[in-house]
Amino acid sequence: MSSARRPDWATLPNAVTLVRLVLLVPVCVLLAGGPDTVAVVLLLLWASTDWVDGVLARALNQTSRTGEIIDPIADRLGLGAIVLTITLTGLLPWLALVVIVVSDVAVALLASRAALGRRISVSALGKVRTFVLMAAVLLLAAAAAWVPGLLPAVQALLWAGVAMHVVASADYVLRARRAPRAAPAGEGPPSPR
């Protein structure tokens, strides 16, 4: 189907993002039982879909407005659920979970309108933050499953990711506040005559 006739949501990258959302349930269930090899491999598969959907969108020229909206939602929802799960297993302090959730709620309340209105976009800092948090969560599960002696070092990486999360969240809120307001309906440029 050509991109001219394909609905905005009907792309391979968006399908990969939906797979990420579906994988979230088995990933969390397996992690809740204590990280093991299957949980770590499934978590790695889940995390890799974030990279795969972006590569596919660019390679196939299938970027879409739907993808711009659902990809960050899948990231935030997935990381939140996984961080909650590993917090419940005792691998992560509750304070880290609280900081992540409060930051995400602040961004949702204070910057989502600007993001949905395309007045701000994903920043490089936001992308690096997501990578660091995903890598830290994956390494935390892997260390718990295979090399428990590495847990303190991986928890330090996770705290670095949490700090980056706070900074990136503040950046989104500040950029949303500074972004020019959209023109009210009916105040667009004059139509050519």
Side-chain angles (χ1 to χ4, degrees):
M1 176 185 291
S2 76
S3 61
R5 291 181 283 159
R6 170 182 41 82
D8 176 72
W9 56 266
T11 68
L12 186 56
N14 290 344
V16 172
T17 301
L18 292 176
V19 166
R20 181 158 75 250
L21 286 169
V22 170
L23 279 175
L24 190 54
V25 173
V27 165
C28 288
V29 167
L30 288 170
L31 288 173
D36 61 7
T37 299
V38 174
V40 172
V41 169
L42 198 55
L43 180 58
L44 176 61
L45 178 63
W46 174 84
S48 69
T49 61
D50 187 39
W51 176 77
V52 169
D53 64 10
V55 168
L56 287 174
R58 289 182 291 280
L60 301 174
N61 195 27
Q62 290 187 351
T63 58
S64 68
R65 182 67 182 139
T66 301
E68 290 173 4
I69 294 169
I70 67 171
D71 183 64
I73 290 171
D75 289 347
R76 299 281 63 83
L77 182 64
L79 271 173
I82 290 168
V83 168
L84 172 62
T85 303
I86 63 173
T87 301
L88 291 171
T89 65
L91 289 174
L92 188 68
W94 282 94
L95 179 59
L97 173 68
V98 169
V99 170
I100 290 170
V101 169
V102 168
S103 297
D104 282 346
V105 168
V107 169
L109 293 175
L110 302 172
S112 61
R113 179 178 286 170
L116 290 172
R118 292 185 174 178
R119 293 183 288 129
I120 62 170
S121 59
V122 176
S123 67
L125 175 61
K127 290 180 180 183
V128 171
R129 172 268 328 258
T130 299
F131 174 79
V132 170
L133 277 176
M134 282 189 181
V137 166
L138 177 64
L139 291 172
L140 191 62
W146 302 320
V147 193
L150 291 179
L151 281 172
V154 176
Q155 286 175 335
L157 176 64
L158 189 114
W159 278 110
V162 169
M164 290 178 71
H165 188 66
V166 171
V167 172
S169 298
D171 176 60
Y172 282 123
V173 170
L174 290 173
R175 288 191 304 127
R177 293 292 172 222
R178 288 185 290 215
R181 300 274 181 226
E187 288 189 19
S191 58
R193 296 205 178 220

